[in-house]
Amino acid sequence: MSRFQRYDGGDPLAPPVDLAGALDAIGQDVMAGYSPEHAMREFLRRGSNDQAGLDELQRQLAQRRRDILQRNNLDGTMQEVRELLDKAVLAERGQLARDITMSDEDRDFREMVLDSAWPQGGSPSTAAAVSELASYDWQSSEAREAYEEIKDLLGRELLDQRLAGMKQALEGATEEDRAAVAEMLADLNDLLEKHAAGEDTDEAFAAFMDKHGDFFPDNPQDMDELLDSLAQRAAAAQRMLNSMTEEQRRELMELSQQAFGSPQLMEQLARMDANLQALRPGEDWSGSESFEGEQGMGLGDGTGALADLAQLDQLSDQISQSYQGARLDDVDLDALAGQLGPEAAVAAKTLQELERALRDSGYLKRGSDGELRLSPKAMRQLGKALLRDVADRMSGRSGARETRTTGLAGEPSGASRRWAFGDTEPWDVSRTITNAVLRGGASPVRIQVDDIEVVETEARTQAAVALLVDTSFSMAMDGRWVPMKRTALALHQLVRSRFRGDDLQLIAFGRHAQVMEVEELTGLDARWDKGTNLHHGLLLANRFFRKHPNAQPVLLIVTDGEPTAHLEPDGEVWFSYPPHPLTIAHSVRELDAAARLGAQVTFFRLGEDPGLARFIDSMARRVDGRMVSPELDDLGAAVVGSYLGSRGPGTSYREHFGDVYGGGRGFWV
């Protein structure tokens, strides 16, 4: 059965979230020593080449905040009132000059009142001028209309502070409209006070909304939604007042008494603010902002800007993910789209899906201690990605080319057999065609699965592979820590996926050596203890080889320093720098023991130290081994290539990396 749901933004044809890319990036940080939880957070913050991360969204939020503060100021209403006063006084002066019926004494008196309240070229108090002219008998109808517009503007602005959109909704309002506003405010305050006393009911809320619902276009569904909406707006209005200068606040409070020509409006608004502050004390009623721009905002717009700033701060907190139990599902996508646009919301939604997929897909697993760890599934996926990178590097290395003996697992024995599912040996073409002809005739020849025969090959020798990786101080200090881990994980993935008959042991050697599982080595923190105990590492490798007497020993050693530590007979570590002859002797003795066990030895020298190069070259020659000096980026390819070389000739990259390239264990035509 198909399921349909509402489209929620983004490109409907976009590919699903890139889990593989995310896991690879997280794996790099884990191998560098970060916890999986920290690594996941860092990836979500950084994002990727085609995906904005949390840091980019945080930057956009900060830029939006700066734009609001640097573009605007809070003097818009006062400026509009001053312009209306200028208009009213100018029109009145013109009327007085034109009115020939007026006595000189009356004209002079009126001129004196206008000069006293609003002198030309002076800096009078706007609030005082509005108050002083409240009782003035305007002779000009144009002047009277301009002055009445001031009172209307103040009323609409004060309401717009508490109920967004009221400035526009009440433009040109009649006395009946104003009476409806007054009734609504009185009923609202009664409802708020009943709620504070626990006396309100759902029926009371419903009755209020039936009567006054037109004043609340956001259509709150219950008392809590109504309270939240009103308190957030009222708190923003208070923060706007806090952000004004002392002179601006005083002027505004005096002007407010002239709103709609009646002080009752301010009384009801003050009552409402007190009720809301008591019911929602957790809102920010004391904050302030510093506006520095030139674009004046009215009271309603200014309150909206303060509300926007509060929402931006809330979104910033959500995106910072710095609080206990933070999840990206906490981010309000609708608010983010409103502030930054739909592209930002789509980016955040993708990050939410990535976080959810990483947690729910089984890649991250919480241990008994409560800490997140990379799961075995994640290790396999990461190993595949690293092995794919190794395969790409090997196929592009100088002198390396893919052969056409695909599927060959050993030397041909001269016989053939029926193909069975899972066989990777090449076809015996002549026998296959002969079978098809005998079954169906010579023309045309149609090959069926039952006709196919493959070339039998000699059984491949089982290998016991010991990978010794240097975990000394210098490996971490010189940036070789992560490439070493990548190499170990790639080789582990290759052996587990393509050479299951082989045994691999990972041995880390620093001041002392120890056998490690790949998960333990991958999550190993950098060790700052000095010491390169190759002797101990070779002891463990030889013990491993002796446990597999029928397997071909393969010894791979990755190091960037000469041996500076060895084990004493009592098990204590003996350290000396520069290397002591006794330490060298112990290391050489165990290397000779590996050679006597038949080990194929390859040293991978990291760094350009000439003394190290001479020492490792002499060690390799002593046991008829090899020394390879790869670049760090090629270390994995060098180690894997050496291992594949130990498997004998006659095999191709396509066989070894078939799963990596998506070929599986099928056959090639």
Side-chain angles (χ1 to χ4, degrees), residues 402-480:
E402 186 175 319
T403 66
R404 290 298 177 186
T405 57
T406 306
L408 196 60
E411 294 298 327
S413 65
S416 64
R417 57 178 171 79
R418 294 281 185 180
W419 176 84
F421 179 78
D423 286 342
T424 59
E425 292 81 6
W427 288 9
D428 186 324
V429 178
S430 60
R431 291 296 304 161
T432 298
I433 294 178
T434 299
N435 292 340
V437 170
L438 292 176
R439 179 185 51 76
S443 180
V445 178
R446 297 183 181 276
I447 299 176
Q448 295 184 359
V449 172
D450 291 341
D451 300 326
I452 300 171
E453 293 198 22
V454 295
V455 176
E456 283 193 338
T457 58
E458 300 287 350
R460 181 167 51 198
T461 304
Q462 181 186 15
V465 186
L467 174 62
L468 276 65
V469 290
D470 190 342
T471 56
S472 62
F473 171 78
S474 58
M475 288 286 287
M477 182 178 65
D478 294 332
R480 297 160 186 155

Side-chain angles (χ1 to χ4, degrees), residues 140-296:
S140 165
S141 59
E142 180 184 357
R144 184 181 300 106
E145 289 175 3
Y147 182 79
E148 291 298 324
E149 190 175 344
I150 292 174
K151 295 188 288 184
D152 182 69
L153 170 68
L154 290 171
R156 290 187 291 121
E157 286 278 20
L158 288 170
L159 287 171
D160 202 38
Q161 273 193 305
R162 275 72 173 187
L163 301 169
M166 292 296 286
K167 180 179 180 180
Q168 291 76 25
L170 290 177
E171 190 169 6
T174 64
E175 287 300 326
E176 290 77 10
D177 295 329
R178 295 172 183 172
V181 170
E183 184 180 10
M184 181 273 293
L185 290 175
D187 290 348
L188 176 60
N189 279 315
D190 290 342
L191 183 64
L192 294 177
E193 287 160 4
K194 286 180 180 179
H195 182 76
E199 299 173 356
D200 65 321
T201 62
D202 293 339
E203 291 76 13
F205 170 78
F208 174 82
M209 292 302 297
D210 286 342
K211 185 177 181 181
H212 302 296
D214 291 344
F215 290 98
F216 305 92
D218 53 346
N219 192 27
Q221 297 300 302
D222 54 38
M223 192 65 190
D224 283 334
E225 285 190 18
L226 177 64
L227 275 173
D228 289 340
S229 174
L230 290 172
Q232 289 168 8
R233 187 81 178 177
Q238 183 59 52
R239 292 195 301 275
M240 180 181 179
L241 281 176
N242 300 341
S243 303
M244 291 179 172
T245 65
E246 184 64 34
E247 180 182 356
Q248 286 175 323
R249 276 196 298 274
R250 185 178 63 255
E251 289 270 292
L252 180 60
M253 296 310 294
E254 291 177 8
L255 278 173
S256 298
Q257 301 302 318
Q258 301 297 324
F260 288 155
S262 169
Q264 282 74 30
L265 174 64
M266 276 304 296
E267 292 173 4
Q268 290 288 359
L269 291 177
R271 180 184 167 197
M272 184 179 77
D273 288 347
N275 286 327
L276 291 172
Q277 192 161 357
L279 289 167
R280 288 292 186 270
E283 294 289 340
D284 182 7
W285 299 90
S286 60
S288 63
E289 299 288 350
S290 178
F291 289 85
E292 305 169 353
E294 297 180 356
Q295 181 175 318

Side-chain angles (χ1 to χ4, degrees), residues 550-573:
N550 297 323
Q552 168 62 53
V554 178
L555 180 60
L556 309 172
I557 303 171
V558 178
T559 185
D560 69 346
E562 299 174 63
T564 57
H566 67 268
L567 281 185
E568 291 283 85
D570 60 2
E572 293 296 321
V573 174

Side-chain angles (χ1 to χ4, degrees), residues 364-390:
L364 299 176
K365 188 175 182 180
R366 199 168 294 278
S368 58
D369 57 358
E371 295 294 325
L372 281 182
R373 291 184 173 83
L374 293 180
S375 68
K377 178 181 178 181
M379 297 299 296
R380 289 193 298 272
Q381 187 67 29
L382 186 56
K384 287 180 182 179
L386 296 175
L387 194 54
R388 188 180 302 114
D389 180 62
V390 165

Side-chain angles (χ1 to χ4, degrees), residues 387-395 402 653-654 656-664 668:
L387 194 54
R388 188 180 302 114
D389 180 62
V390 165
D392 290 340
R393 288 183 177 277
M394 290 180 67
S395 64
E402 186 175 319
Y653 291 141
R654 180 64 70 179
H656 300 316
F657 299 113
D659 286 341
V660 172
Y661 287 114
W668 292 77

Side-chain angles (χ1 to χ4, degrees), residues 15-26:
V17 292
D18 184 11
L19 262 182
L23 184 63
D24 183 54
I26 290 169

